[in-house]
């Protein structure tokens, strides 16, 4: 163990979270030992346990920090179309999932029944869904309730699909992203006052960056919104 640096409590906690995040990303949850975290951080096990009483507590803190960062990086830019918002948000989350595959799988598999992890996921889902609900053009209040239900179901769909993709990569990353985006656009169209993305979907292999020209009657119908990524309520986060 390297000589311990004296840090303020907040700085020490941040250091331990950084070490934990790195180890949980690099190794399956079961293979990460608190002794290893302490050694990597250059602290005693007693000091580590003073900040985090268990490995689950450390993982939950790492996961909460990641959820906060992902929400902060998910923009709601009025100048962007719905499709641009969805692409940006899905890319932010998929970048994290790919870079932190072991941590994402741990949250959705090994710790799927942990109530603290579930609460983090539920809170993030609610925040993302609220961002979309605030900007989508409902026909009326009853349609708004239906849209909320669709978004909740879509989040579950995306969560399951992305976890499966991390386990067995059966398509490209961009194909996965576009499948998720196409699913929510198709589900929302019957419930909205305007077509939220008249120039979607792209067509054919390799069409991820290509967009169909807007239909003449709907050329001005694109509406801005935020992006959403899945969290499976009964099983945990992407």
């Amino acid at each position: 163990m390297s000589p311990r640096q004296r840090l303020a409590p907040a700085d020490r906690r941040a250091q331990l979270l950084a070490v934990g995040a790195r180890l949980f990303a690099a190794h399956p949850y079961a293979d990460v030992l608190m002794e290893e975290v302490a050694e990597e951080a250059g602290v005693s096990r007693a000091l580590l346990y003073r900040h985090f009483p268990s490995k689950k507590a450390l993982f939950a803190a790492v996961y909460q920090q990641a959820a906060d960062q992902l929400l902060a990086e998910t923009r709601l830019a009025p100048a962007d179309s719905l499709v641009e918002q969805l692409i940006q948000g899905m890319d932010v989350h998929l970048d994290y999932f790919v870079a932190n595959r072991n941590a994402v799988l741990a949250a959705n598999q090994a710790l799927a029944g942990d109530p603290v992890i579930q609460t983090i996921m539920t809170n993030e889902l609610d925040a993302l869904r609220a961002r979309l609900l605030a900007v989508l053009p409902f026909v009326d209040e009853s349609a708004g309730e239906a849209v909320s239900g669709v978004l909740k179901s879509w989040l579950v769909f995306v969560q399951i699909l992305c976890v499966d993709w991390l386990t067995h990569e059966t398509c490209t990353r961009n194909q996965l992203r576009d499948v998720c985006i196409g699913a929510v656009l198709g589900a929302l169209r019957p419930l909205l006052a305007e077509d939220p993305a008249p120039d979607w979907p792209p067509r054919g292999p390799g069409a991820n960056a290509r967009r169909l020209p807007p239909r003449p009657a709907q050329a001005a119908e694109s509406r801005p919104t935020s992006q959403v990524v899945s969290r499976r309520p009964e099983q945990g986060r992407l």
Side-chain angles (χ1 to χ4, degrees), residues 95-109:
D95 285 346
Y96 175 81
F97 300 157
V98 171
N100 297 274
R101 177 180 175 276
N102 286 309
V104 173
L105 292 178
N108 286 277
Q109 295 174 350

Side-chain angles (χ1 to χ4, degrees), residues 45-63:
R45 284 180 290 175
L47 180 57
L48 173 60
Y49 281 108
R50 195 178 307 160
H51 285 273
F52 302 102
S54 67
K55 184 167 74 169
K56 280 187 179 181
L58 174 60
F59 183 88
V62 167
Y63 211 63

Side-chain angles (χ1 to χ4, degrees), residues 52-224:
F52 302 102
S54 67
K55 184 167 74 169
K56 280 187 179 181
L58 174 60
F59 183 88
V62 167
Y63 211 63
Q64 180 66 71
Q65 180 175 261
D68 293 341
Q69 290 174 346
L70 288 172
L71 284 172
E73 292 171 12
T74 301
R75 300 192 312 267
L76 179 58
D80 292 343
S81 70
L82 171 61
V83 169
E84 289 169 332
Q85 289 286 344
L86 289 168
I87 289 174
Q88 183 271 335
M90 286 294 302
D91 280 343
V92 166
H93 282 75
L94 286 173
D95 285 346
Y96 175 81
F97 300 157
V98 171
N100 297 274
R101 177 180 175 276
N102 286 309
V104 173
L105 292 178
N108 286 277
Q109 295 174 350
L111 298 176
D114 184 81
V116 176
I117 298 299
Q118 288 298 311
T119 297
I120 295 170
M121 295 177 180
T122 298
N123 290 342
E124 186 181 6
L125 180 154
D126 289 343
L128 291 168
R129 183 169 43 157
R131 293 183 184 185
L132 279 174
L133 289 172
V135 296
L136 286 172
F138 307 150
V139 175
D140 52 40
E141 189 63 29
S142 62
E145 294 177 4
V147 168
S148 180
V150 166
L151 292 176
K152 183 175 182 177
S153 298
W154 176 66
L155 292 174
V156 176
F157 165 80
V158 175
Q159 186 266 340
I160 295 171
L161 197 61
C162 289
V163 171
D164 286 347
W165 182 78
L166 288 175
T167 307
H168 307 287
E169 190 172 334
T170 55
C171 62
T172 69
R173 181 186 183 281
N174 282 354
Q175 286 172 334
L176 173 69
R177 181 196 67 193
D178 286 356
V179 165
C180 293
I181 294 172
V184 72
L185 292 176
L188 287 175
R189 280 190 173 107
L191 298 171
L192 301 181
E194 304 171 2
D195 188 335
D199 57 347
W200 186 271
R203 302 289 186 182
N208 302 310
R210 188 169 73 247
R211 300 290 177 264
L212 295 179
R215 296 189 290 275
Q218 296 174 320
E221 289 184 357
S222 292
R223 295 292 296 267

